[in-house]
Amino acid sequence: MKDSDIIQLGHGAGGSLQDDLIEFITKTVKIRRVGTGIGLDAFEDGATIPLSAEDADKEIVLSADGHTVFPLRFPGGDLGKLAVCGTVNDLCMMGAHPIALTSAVIVEEGMRAKNLREIMDSFNHTAAEAGVAVITGDTKVMPKGTLQEMIIVTTGIGKKPKNRKILNSNVQAGDKIIVTGSVGDHGIALMAARENIELGCRLESDVAILKPLAEIAFHYSDLHMMKDPTRGGLAAALNEVATKSHVSIWLKEEAIPIKKEVRAVADILGLDPLEIACEGRFIAAVAANQADDLVKALQTHPLGIDTIIIGEARADRKGRVLMETIVGGTRFVDMPLGELIPRIC
Amino acid sequence: MKDSDIIQLGHGAGGSLQDDLIEFITKTVKIRRVGTGIGLDAFEDGATIPLSAEDADKEIVLSADGHTVFPLRFPGGDLGKLAVCGTVNDLCMMGAHPIALTSAVIVEEGMRAKNLREIMDSFNHTAAEAGVAVITGDTKVMPKGTLQEMIIVTTGIGKKPKNRKILNSNVQAGDKIIVTGSVGDHGIALMAARENIELGCRLESDVAILKPLAEIAFHYSDLHMMKDPTRGGLAAALNEVATKSHVSIWLKEEAIPIKKEVRAVADILGLDPLEIACEGRFIAAVAANQADDLVKALQTHPLGIDTIIIGEARADRKGRVLMETIVGGTRFVDMPLGELIPRIC
């Protein structure tokens, strides 16, 4: 298969054309198996991850994520990078060390092979950067007009110690709430690109592998919750953890990092930056006595340089998120009903 | 969310509407976690499967599969049942005992909630029938016109003993090749429904969970290969294992079970039944001295009642599949280039 080819229905039909397609989209995968397991290079119907005696105190962690973004390439990333980051980050947010990915790639008939290869190269390079193997997958081709461009669905596999409890339901009253950087960059960069909004500066998606930053955080024994504020943004993420942990979360508006260009585009489009997706940030809840140390540790990594405490969890008004505004009032930050920006992550 | 609702973009956007959708499509899941792990009921960003000392001699087995079928309902099954069977069967074909599924459900804006629920109920009931937990998932909604109806991508997780080697690359010269039932039923039933071909009888897809049949086969120490002939049918499956195992496979045409109505529809449509997908059969390679016993054992189960030896593996003409025809000649059964029937599994 060559860059100049066009994807045909036969490329998804289980014959020799499909073998060509699989070889074409996986040839840049760097890590193809886990240990002595069966991996991508075996071309079996699946893959294996060998276990050993030292896994007896561990759990396998799994996270599934469907990715569909329009346009396929956006400032700061593309669908391939997004698909790996989204899934690897979800594993990290559960306290896991990511090991491997499975991927299902669904493509529209008529797609240019070159475009597909570029997205999959980005997928494969991002997986290598994250140190995760791509061990098995699936490809399907849908008839022209029944799918716009392509979808990548990834399942991530990691391992974590059984006694590490980093959960949406584990925030304790008194915990400090931190965020590792500015919010809304991904969603706004995508919308600005889609709507051709001139910014006078380059606004890029924050899409990134959070693994190195998460692994710094794992050292803190009283880290109770980590979550990446993707669809629905900070507002959805905080409401979810407030509800699940039976606490309230009190934010200080002045502390929440929002880039001025993000705020400007959000204003133009009538969007609240707190409801806009990030793809390279996380929020965390940590006991107050470890909060300053954690913040400083995260700031040592380029991805966490802007880490800041944005609020705290309290025992009253369980399930609510409240914000002390810059002008001195207090307002609720509600769960978004559903942000009406499709195909964003 | 009610059956009379219509899926909106907001149902996939990370807010409270999305929570409604997730609750709606998962409420009939019967097994929601593995052991003491985090499962679907925790509504975290993923799930966990606890390991123990007795897993030290095991491997985790993973298989990913994207499912898109048109129409969503066909004689004998629907997309939901197909998505579970396809993935659970792939695990079994690797010698694994299926444990759990992750699912990503991608839906077109405007789909009727009732239709979505029926497909997901079928998914959930089939998972319960297979005894596998549905532990985590993802939902996305794509704008109307960018996806026809829906896609389900499942990743299956199982465990197998490390020393069980049932592989496409492990067929030995001298092995007998068996098939557990008639071939081509799924693809032809789907095509007949799609083309409104009157059959004068009811032809149903063979889609089924192969786990009970596979677990009978696992008892045979010299079982070398199992494979379900899905996309590309028997021809693709046998060519794949012949190539990977460096053997030839010699078939006896008279032994291959093909229903007369399957043959009739295939003739009308100009298709070769050997290239048509099954979703509830497997082929296997087993040492000659265990073949008759294995066939008899599989025939004791309703799913395997028509199990039969269809050929054998030989050391010459490596990588080729040959068939001794009913009229006494020998012909090659080639790898299909790519069957031109889209959205079949």
Side-chain angles (χ1 to χ4, degrees):
Chain A
M1 191 159 178
K2 303 181 304 295
D3 265 12
S4 56
D5 286 350
I6 300 291
I7 304 301
Q8 305 165 35
L9 281 175
H11 283 116
S16 57
L17 279 175
Q18 177 163 314
D19 291 344
D20 292 347
L21 175 65
I22 293 171
E23 204 274 329
F24 183 74
I25 66 177
T26 62
K27 63 187 170 192
T28 55
V29 175
K30 288 215 175 58
I31 316 174
R32 291 172 170 253
R33 61 168 81 178
V34 177
T36 57
I38 293 169
L40 200 62
D41 40 356
F43 290 100
E44 292 286 335
D45 298 326
T48 68
I49 299 178
L51 300 173
S52 66
E54 65 192 26
D55 289 321
D57 60 350
K58 296 208 179 80
E59 299 180 298
I60 292 285
V61 181
L62 295 149
S63 185
D65 230 338
H67 305 276
T68 152
V69 68
F70 182 81
L72 286 182
R73 278 184 210 78
F74 50 82
D78 57 38
L79 176 64
K81 183 176 183 181
L82 187 69
V84 175
C85 291
T87 302
V88 167
N89 292 350
D90 274 352
L91 291 175
C92 295
M93 296 304 105
M94 302 209 36
H97 301 269
I99 298 171
L101 293 175
T102 73
S103 72
V105 178
I106 305 167
V107 181
E108 184 185 17
E109 176 192 17
M111 188 175 184
R112 298 164 70 98
K114 178 172 181 288
N115 291 345
L116 176 60
R117 182 188 55 73
E118 286 172 357
I119 297 295
M120 293 314 297
D121 283 358
S122 173
F123 183 97
N124 297 332
H125 291 142
T126 309
E129 180 203 329
V132 298
V134 179
I135 55 174
T136 187
D138 187 35
T139 57
K140 286 270 154 51
V141 180
M142 287 177 68
K144 197 163 181 61
T146 63
L147 172 69
Q148 194 183 67
E149 298 187 306
M150 69 182 292
I151 294 174
I152 303 178
V153 178
T154 40
T155 294
I157 306 103
K159 286 184 194 172
K160 77 179 236 329
K162 279 181 192 163
N163 61 3
R164 183 184 291 158
K165 300 284 183 203
I166 300 174
L167 294 170
N168 293 340
S169 58
N170 197 32
V171 181
Q172 309 293 319
D175 280 356
K176 295 295 182 189
I177 307 296
I178 68 166
V179 68
T180 61
S182 59
V183 301
D185 298 17
H186 172 73
I188 292 295
L190 205 76
M191 286 303 293
R194 215 186 272 179
E195 304 292 335
N196 281 311
I197 294 173
E198 280 296 332
L199 289 172
C201 64
R202 184 156 172 83
L203 175 63
E204 292 201 334
S205 164
D206 53 297
V207 59
I209 294 287
L210 290 170
K211 180 179 154 186
L213 214 53
E215 289 181 343
I216 292 171
F218 293 164
H219 289 108
Y220 290 78
S221 57
D222 289 320
L223 177 73
H224 296 136
M225 177 278 296
M226 295 168 72
K227 189 170 178 66
D228 53 341
T230 56
R231 285 183 288 178
L234 198 65
L238 289 171
N239 272 281
E240 190 177 333
V241 300
T243 301
K244 287 183 184 159
S245 295
H246 307 290
V247 294
S248 58
I249 290 172
W250 292 73
L251 301 174
K252 287 199 186 300
E253 185 174 18
E254 62 192 15
I256 299 172
I258 302 173
K259 289 182 178 156
K260 67 176 193 306
E261 53 270 37
V262 167
R263 200 182 293 279
V265 177
D267 279 351
I268 291 170
L269 298 171
L271 301 168
D272 180 349
L274 298 186
E275 298 187 358
I276 305 297
C278 314
E279 288 291 341
R281 313 291 184 213
F282 65 82
I283 56 169
V286 61
N289 64 345
Q290 293 188 345
D292 288 337
D293 280 358
L294 174 59
V295 168
K296 275 182 209 142
L298 293 173
Q299 285 171 344
T300 63
H301 192 281
L303 281 174
I305 206 161
D306 293 324
T307 303
I308 187 169
I309 295 172
I310 58 170
E312 62 180 20
R314 296 185 194 165
D316 63 339
R317 309 186 83 149
K318 295 182 201 310
R320 300 309 299 259
V321 179
L322 301 102
M323 184 161 70
E324 293 165 23
T325 62
I326 292 168
V327 294
T330 299
R331 75 165 174 95
F332 287 117
V333 177
D334 286 322
M335 186 71 165
L337 187 63
E339 67 176 356
L340 290 172
I341 314 173
R343 300 193 68 182
I344 203 160
C345 57
Chain B
M1 193 158 176
K2 304 182 304 294
D3 264 14
S4 56
D5 286 349
I6 300 290
I7 304 300
Q8 306 164 34
L9 282 176
H11 282 117
S16 56
L17 279 174
Q18 177 162 314
D19 292 344
D20 292 348
L21 176 64
I22 293 171
E23 204 274 329
F24 183 75
I25 66 177
T26 62
K27 64 187 169 192
T28 55
V29 175
K30 289 217 175 56
I31 317 173
R32 291 171 170 253
R33 60 169 80 178
V34 178
T36 57
I38 293 170
L40 199 63
D41 40 357
F43 290 100
E44 292 286 336
D45 298 325
T48 68
I49 299 178
L51 300 173
S52 66
E54 66 192 25
D55 289 321
D57 61 348
K58 296 209 179 78
E59 299 180 297
I60 292 284
V61 182
L62 295 149
S63 186
D65 231 337
H67 304 275
T68 151
V69 68
F70 182 81
L72 287 183
R73 278 184 210 79
F74 50 82
D78 57 37
L79 176 64
K81 182 175 183 182
L82 187 68
V84 175
C85 292
T87 301
V88 167
N89 292 350
D90 274 353
L91 291 175
C92 295
M93 297 302 106
M94 300 207 42
H97 301 270
I99 299 170
L101 294 174
T102 73
S103 72
V105 178
I106 305 167
V107 181
E108 184 185 18
E109 176 193 18
M111 188 173 183
R112 298 164 69 98
K114 177 172 181 289
N115 291 345
L116 176 60
R117 182 187 55 72
E118 287 173 357
I119 297 295
M120 294 313 298
D121 282 359
S122 172
F123 182 97
N124 297 332
H125 290 143
T126 309
E129 180 204 328
V132 298
V134 179
I135 55 174
T136 187
D138 187 35
T139 56
K140 286 269 154 51
V141 180
M142 286 178 69
K144 197 162 180 63
T146 63
L147 172 69
Q148 195 182 69
E149 298 188 308
M150 68 182 293
I151 295 174
I152 303 178
V153 178
T154 40
T155 294
I157 305 104
K159 286 184 194 172
K160 76 180 240 325
K162 280 181 190 163
N163 61 4
R164 184 184 290 158
K165 300 284 183 203
I166 299 174
L167 294 169
N168 293 340
S169 57
N170 197 32
V171 181
Q172 310 292 319
D175 280 356
K176 295 295 181 189
I177 307 296
I178 68 167
V179 68
T180 61
S182 59
V183 301
D185 298 17
H186 172 73
I188 291 295
L190 205 76
M191 286 303 293
R194 214 187 273 179
E195 305 291 336
N196 280 311
I197 295 172
E198 281 296 332
L199 289 171
C201 64
R202 183 156 173 83
L203 176 62
E204 292 202 334
S205 165
D206 53 299
V207 60
I209 293 288
L210 290 170
K211 180 178 153 185
L213 214 53
E215 288 181 343
I216 292 172
F218 293 164
H219 289 108
Y220 290 77
S221 56
D222 288 320
L223 177 71
H224 296 136
M225 177 277 296
M226 295 168 74
K227 189 171 178 65
D228 54 339
T230 56
R231 284 182 289 178
L234 198 65
L238 290 171
N239 272 281
E240 190 177 334
V241 300
T243 301
K244 287 183 184 160
S245 295
H246 307 290
V247 295
S248 58
I249 291 174
W250 292 73
L251 301 173
K252 286 199 186 301
E253 185 174 19
E254 64 192 15
I256 299 171
I258 302 172
K259 288 182 178 158
K260 67 176 193 304
E261 52 271 38
V262 167
R263 200 181 293 277
V265 177
D267 280 350
I268 292 170
L269 298 172
L271 300 169
D272 179 349
L274 299 187
E275 299 187 358
I276 305 296
C278 314
E279 289 291 341
R281 312 291 184 213
F282 65 84
I283 57 169
V286 61
N289 65 344
Q290 293 188 346
D292 288 337
D293 279 358
L294 173 59
V295 167
K296 275 182 209 142
L298 293 173
Q299 286 172 344
T300 64
H301 192 280
L303 281 174
I305 207 161
D306 293 324
T307 302
I308 187 169
I309 295 173
I310 57 170
E312 63 180 18
R314 297 184 193 166
D316 63 339
R317 308 186 84 148
K318 294 183 201 312
R320 299 308 302 259
V321 179
L322 301 101
M323 185 161 70
E324 293 166 23
T325 63
I326 292 169
V327 294
T330 300
R331 75 164 174 96
F332 287 117
V333 177
D334 286 322
M335 185 71 165
L337 186 64
E339 66 175 356
L340 289 172
I341 314 173
R343 302 192 67 181
I344 203 159
C345 58

PDB file of all heavy atoms in Angstrom, chain A residues 10 19 42 66 76 140 142 151 155 178 188 201 250 261 267 274 279 282 298 319 337-338 342:
ATOM      1  N   GLY A  10     -12.713  -3.060   0.295  1.00  0.00           N
ATOM      2  CA  GLY A  10     -11.967  -4.312   0.408  1.00  0.00           C
ATOM      3  C   GLY A  10     -10.856  -4.261   1.439  1.00  0.00           C
ATOM      4  O   GLY A  10     -10.435  -5.292   1.965  1.00  0.00           O
ATOM      5  N   ASP A  19      -4.712  -7.058   5.054  1.00  0.00           N
ATOM      6  CA  ASP A  19      -3.357  -7.249   5.579  1.00  0.00           C
ATOM      7  C   ASP A  19      -2.461  -6.079   5.171  1.00  0.00           C
ATOM      8  O   ASP A  19      -1.651  -5.597   5.961  1.00  0.00           O
ATOM      9  CB  ASP A  19      -2.767  -8.567   5.064  1.00  0.00           C
ATOM     10  CG  ASP A  19      -3.475  -9.778   5.661  1.00  0.00           C
ATOM     11  OD1 ASP A  19      -4.196  -9.605   6.667  1.00  0.00           O
ATOM     12  OD2 ASP A  19      -3.316 -10.879   5.115  1.00  0.00           O
ATOM     13  N   ALA A  42       2.790 -10.636  16.026  1.00  0.00           N
ATOM     14  CA  ALA A  42       2.349 -12.020  15.832  1.00  0.00           C
ATOM     15  C   ALA A  42       1.140 -12.105  14.898  1.00  0.00           C
ATOM     16  O   ALA A  42       0.832 -13.165  14.370  1.00  0.00           O
ATOM     17  CB  ALA A  42       2.004 -12.654  17.166  1.00  0.00           C
ATOM     18  N   GLY A  66     -13.510   6.247  22.874  1.00  0.00           N
ATOM     19  CA  GLY A  66     -13.728   6.447  21.442  1.00  0.00           C
ATOM     20  C   GLY A  66     -13.364   7.876  21.074  1.00  0.00           C
ATOM     21  O   GLY A  66     -13.770   8.809  21.764  1.00  0.00           O
ATOM     22  N   GLY A  76      -1.647  21.982  17.464  1.00  0.00           N
ATOM     23  CA  GLY A  76      -1.106  21.285  18.635  1.00  0.00           C
ATOM     24  C   GLY A  76      -1.306  19.787  18.628  1.00  0.00           C
ATOM     25  O   GLY A  76      -0.796  19.092  19.510  1.00  0.00           O
ATOM     26  N   LYS A 140     -11.673  -1.471  10.342  1.00  0.00           N
ATOM     27  CA  LYS A 140     -12.928  -1.608   9.596  1.00  0.00           C
ATOM     28  C   LYS A 140     -12.999  -0.460   8.602  1.00  0.00           C
ATOM     29  O   LYS A 140     -12.517   0.647   8.876  1.00  0.00           O
ATOM     30  CB  LYS A 140     -14.138  -1.530  10.543  1.00  0.00           C
ATOM     31  CG  LYS A 140     -14.351  -2.766  11.398  1.00  0.00           C
ATOM     32  CD  LYS A 140     -15.238  -3.797  10.729  1.00  0.00           C
ATOM     33  CE  LYS A 140     -15.021  -5.232  11.157  1.00  0.00           C
ATOM     34  NZ  LYS A 140     -15.010  -5.510  12.563  1.00  0.00           N
ATOM     35  N   MET A 142     -15.933   1.633   6.419  1.00  0.00           N
ATOM     36  CA  MET A 142     -17.369   1.838   6.220  1.00  0.00           C
ATOM     37  C   MET A 142     -17.591   2.512   4.868  1.00  0.00           C
ATOM     38  O   MET A 142     -16.781   3.310   4.427  1.00  0.00           O
ATOM     39  CB  MET A 142     -17.965   2.669   7.360  1.00  0.00           C
ATOM     40  CG  MET A 142     -18.072   1.838   8.649  1.00  0.00           C
ATOM     41  SD  MET A 142     -18.698   2.758  10.085  1.00  0.00           S
ATOM     42  CE  MET A 142     -20.398   3.066   9.615  1.00  0.00           C
ATOM     43  N   ILE A 151     -12.612   7.163  12.894  1.00  0.00           N
ATOM     44  CA  ILE A 151     -12.761   7.055  14.349  1.00  0.00           C
ATOM     45  C   ILE A 151     -11.645   6.140  14.843  1.00  0.00           C
ATOM     46  O   ILE A 151     -11.330   5.147  14.187  1.00  0.00           O
ATOM     47  CB  ILE A 151     -14.127   6.416  14.705  1.00  0.00           C
ATOM     48  CG1 ILE A 151     -15.290   7.324  14.309  1.00  0.00           C
ATOM     49  CG2 ILE A 151     -14.208   6.074  16.187  1.00  0.00           C
ATOM     50  CD1 ILE A 151     -16.664   6.668  14.499  1.00  0.00           C
ATOM     51  N   THR A 155      -8.393   1.024  23.853  1.00  0.00           N
ATOM     52  CA  THR A 155      -8.503   0.568  25.232  1.00  0.00           C
ATOM     53  C   THR A 155      -7.095   0.518  25.791  1.00  0.00           C
ATOM     54  O   THR A 155      -6.190  -0.036  25.155  1.00  0.00           O
ATOM     55  CB  THR A 155      -9.176  -0.809  25.323  1.00  0.00           C
ATOM     56  OG1 THR A 155     -10.529  -0.685  24.905  1.00  0.00           O
ATOM     57  CG2 THR A 155      -9.180  -1.325  26.757  1.00  0.00           C
ATOM     58  N   ILE A 178      -6.100  20.955  43.155  1.00  0.00           N
ATOM     59  CA  ILE A 178      -5.117  21.611  42.289  1.00  0.00           C
ATOM     60  C   ILE A 178      -5.446  21.348  40.821  1.00  0.00           C
ATOM     61  O   ILE A 178      -6.173  20.419  40.481  1.00  0.00           O
ATOM     62  CB  ILE A 178      -3.681  21.118  42.580  1.00  0.00           C
ATOM     63  CG1 ILE A 178      -3.514  19.647  42.166  1.00  0.00           C
ATOM     64  CG2 ILE A 178      -3.316  21.295  44.047  1.00  0.00           C
ATOM     65  CD1 ILE A 178      -2.068  19.217  42.124  1.00  0.00           C
ATOM     66  N   ILE A 188     -10.935  25.193  22.887  1.00  0.00           N
ATOM     67  CA  ILE A 188     -10.959  26.505  22.234  1.00  0.00           C
ATOM     68  C   ILE A 188     -10.035  26.530  21.009  1.00  0.00           C
ATOM     69  O   ILE A 188     -10.387  27.113  19.971  1.00  0.00           O
ATOM     70  CB  ILE A 188     -10.599  27.613  23.252  1.00  0.00           C
ATOM     71  CG1 ILE A 188     -11.724  27.742  24.295  1.00  0.00           C
ATOM     72  CG2 ILE A 188     -10.342  28.937  22.549  1.00  0.00           C
ATOM     73  CD1 ILE A 188     -13.063  28.230  23.744  1.00  0.00           C
ATOM     74  N   CYS A 201      -2.357  35.397  17.638  1.00  0.00           N
ATOM     75  CA  CYS A 201      -1.318  34.628  18.328  1.00  0.00           C
ATOM     76  C   CYS A 201      -1.651  33.166  18.106  1.00  0.00           C
ATOM     77  O   CYS A 201      -2.738  32.840  17.626  1.00  0.00           O
ATOM     78  CB  CYS A 201      -1.291  34.944  19.824  1.00  0.00           C
ATOM     79  SG  CYS A 201      -2.816  34.464  20.644  1.00  0.00           S
ATOM     80  N   TRP A 250     -14.959  24.175  46.779  1.00  0.00           N
ATOM     81  CA  TRP A 250     -14.969  25.641  46.766  1.00  0.00           C
ATOM     82  C   TRP A 250     -13.768  26.121  45.976  1.00  0.00           C
ATOM     83  O   TRP A 250     -12.625  25.857  46.327  1.00  0.00           O
ATOM     84  CB  TRP A 250     -14.937  26.178  48.205  1.00  0.00           C
ATOM     85  CG  TRP A 250     -16.213  25.871  48.954  1.00  0.00           C
ATOM     86  CD1 TRP A 250     -16.606  24.657  49.426  1.00  0.00           C
ATOM     87  CD2 TRP A 250     -17.247  26.790  49.285  1.00  0.00           C
ATOM     88  NE1 TRP A 250     -17.836  24.755  50.034  1.00  0.00           N
ATOM     89  CE2 TRP A 250     -18.259  26.063  49.969  1.00  0.00           C
ATOM     90  CE3 TRP A 250     -17.445  28.168  49.076  1.00  0.00           C
ATOM     91  CZ2 TRP A 250     -19.431  26.659  50.442  1.00  0.00           C
ATOM     92  CZ3 TRP A 250     -18.603  28.764  49.551  1.00  0.00           C
ATOM     93  CH2 TRP A 250     -19.593  28.008  50.221  1.00  0.00           C
ATOM     94  N   GLU A 261      -6.361  34.504  25.543  1.00  0.00           N
ATOM     95  CA  GLU A 261      -6.914  34.204  24.216  1.00  0.00           C
ATOM     96  C   GLU A 261      -8.026  33.152  24.306  1.00  0.00           C
ATOM     97  O   GLU A 261      -8.977  33.170  23.523  1.00  0.00           O
ATOM     98  CB  GLU A 261      -5.819  33.794  23.220  1.00  0.00           C
ATOM     99  CG  GLU A 261      -4.897  32.680  23.655  1.00  0.00           C
ATOM    100  CD  GLU A 261      -3.645  33.180  24.395  1.00  0.00           C
ATOM    101  OE1 GLU A 261      -3.757  34.154  25.171  1.00  0.00           O
ATOM    102  OE2 GLU A 261      -2.569  32.574  24.200  1.00  0.00           O
ATOM    103  N   ASP A 267     -15.582  34.039  24.836  1.00  0.00           N
ATOM    104  CA  ASP A 267     -16.542  35.152  24.851  1.00  0.00           C
ATOM    105  C   ASP A 267     -17.229  35.302  23.496  1.00  0.00           C
ATOM    106  O   ASP A 267     -18.455  35.444  23.415  1.00  0.00           O
ATOM    107  CB  ASP A 267     -15.829  36.463  25.218  1.00  0.00           C
ATOM    108  CG  ASP A 267     -15.621  36.592  26.724  1.00  0.00           C
ATOM    109  OD1 ASP A 267     -16.182  35.747  27.467  1.00  0.00           O
ATOM    110  OD2 ASP A 267     -14.894  37.503  27.153  1.00  0.00           O
ATOM    111  N   LEU A 274     -14.804  27.275  31.755  1.00  0.00           N
ATOM    112  CA  LEU A 274     -14.805  26.204  32.752  1.00  0.00           C
ATOM    113  C   LEU A 274     -15.489  24.937  32.220  1.00  0.00           C
ATOM    114  O   LEU A 274     -15.372  23.876  32.820  1.00  0.00           O
ATOM    115  CB  LEU A 274     -15.508  26.657  34.038  1.00  0.00           C
ATOM    116  CG  LEU A 274     -14.890  27.843  34.783  1.00  0.00           C
ATOM    117  CD1 LEU A 274     -15.614  28.059  36.111  1.00  0.00           C
ATOM    118  CD2 LEU A 274     -13.402  27.639  35.017  1.00  0.00           C
ATOM    119  N   GLU A 279      -6.990  18.445  27.321  1.00  0.00           N
ATOM    120  CA  GLU A 279      -6.502  17.091  27.026  1.00  0.00           C
ATOM    121  C   GLU A 279      -5.090  16.861  27.543  1.00  0.00           C
ATOM    122  O   GLU A 279      -4.480  15.840  27.234  1.00  0.00           O
ATOM    123  CB  GLU A 279      -6.563  16.820  25.517  1.00  0.00           C
ATOM    124  CG  GLU A 279      -7.977  16.644  24.980  1.00  0.00           C
ATOM    125  CD  GLU A 279      -8.668  15.365  25.438  1.00  0.00           C
ATOM    126  OE1 GLU A 279      -7.969  14.435  25.883  1.00  0.00           O
ATOM    127  OE2 GLU A 279      -9.922  15.319  25.369  1.00  0.00           O
ATOM    128  N   PHE A 282      -4.553  17.826  34.535  1.00  0.00           N
ATOM    129  CA  PHE A 282      -5.407  17.101  35.453  1.00  0.00           C
ATOM    130  C   PHE A 282      -5.678  17.919  36.696  1.00  0.00           C
ATOM    131  O   PHE A 282      -4.942  18.852  37.016  1.00  0.00           O
ATOM    132  CB  PHE A 282      -4.875  15.702  35.795  1.00  0.00           C
ATOM    133  CG  PHE A 282      -3.579  15.607  36.550  1.00  0.00           C
ATOM    134  CD1 PHE A 282      -3.522  15.757  37.934  1.00  0.00           C
ATOM    135  CD2 PHE A 282      -2.411  15.292  35.868  1.00  0.00           C
ATOM    136  CE1 PHE A 282      -2.327  15.616  38.615  1.00  0.00           C
ATOM    137  CE2 PHE A 282      -1.194  15.156  36.552  1.00  0.00           C
ATOM    138  CZ  PHE A 282      -1.152  15.317  37.930  1.00  0.00           C
ATOM    139  N   LEU A 298       5.191  19.090  41.051  1.00  0.00           N
ATOM    140  CA  LEU A 298       4.612  19.088  39.698  1.00  0.00           C
ATOM    141  C   LEU A 298       5.160  20.247  38.865  1.00  0.00           C
ATOM    142  O   LEU A 298       5.346  20.118  37.655  1.00  0.00           O
ATOM    143  CB  LEU A 298       3.081  19.152  39.775  1.00  0.00           C
ATOM    144  CG  LEU A 298       2.405  17.910  40.381  1.00  0.00           C
ATOM    145  CD1 LEU A 298       0.908  18.157  40.560  1.00  0.00           C
ATOM    146  CD2 LEU A 298       2.628  16.672  39.514  1.00  0.00           C
ATOM    147  N   GLY A 319     -21.899  17.649  47.249  1.00  0.00           N
ATOM    148  CA  GLY A 319     -22.236  17.473  45.837  1.00  0.00           C
ATOM    149  C   GLY A 319     -22.205  18.761  45.035  1.00  0.00           C
ATOM    150  O   GLY A 319     -22.370  18.717  43.818  1.00  0.00           O
ATOM    151  N   LEU A 337     -25.093  20.874  31.165  1.00  0.00           N
ATOM    152  CA  LEU A 337     -26.117  19.949  30.681  1.00  0.00           C
ATOM    153  C   LEU A 337     -25.510  19.048  29.608  1.00  0.00           C
ATOM    154  O   LEU A 337     -25.795  17.863  29.515  1.00  0.00           O
ATOM    155  CB  LEU A 337     -27.280  20.768  30.099  1.00  0.00           C
ATOM    156  CG  LEU A 337     -28.520  19.985  29.702  1.00  0.00           C
ATOM    157  CD1 LEU A 337     -29.152  19.321  30.911  1.00  0.00           C
ATOM    158  CD2 LEU A 337     -29.531  20.891  29.010  1.00  0.00           C
ATOM    159  N   GLY A 338     -24.648  19.625  28.827  1.00  0.00           N
ATOM    160  CA  GLY A 338     -24.015  18.921  27.703  1.00  0.00           C
ATOM    161  C   GLY A 338     -23.486  19.981  26.778  1.00  0.00           C
ATOM    162  O   GLY A 338     -24.273  20.712  26.190  1.00  0.00           O
ATOM    163  N   PRO A 342     -19.664  19.306  19.131  1.00  0.00           N
ATOM    164  CA  PRO A 342     -19.433  17.886  18.826  1.00  0.00           C
ATOM    165  C   PRO A 342     -18.034  17.610  18.304  1.00  0.00           C
ATOM    166  O   PRO A 342     -17.340  18.519  17.847  1.00  0.00           O
ATOM    167  CB  PRO A 342     -20.470  17.600  17.749  1.00  0.00           C
ATOM    168  CG  PRO A 342     -20.691  18.917  17.083  1.00  0.00           C
ATOM    169  CD  PRO A 342     -20.444  19.984  18.106  1.00  0.00           C
TER     170      PRO A 342
END
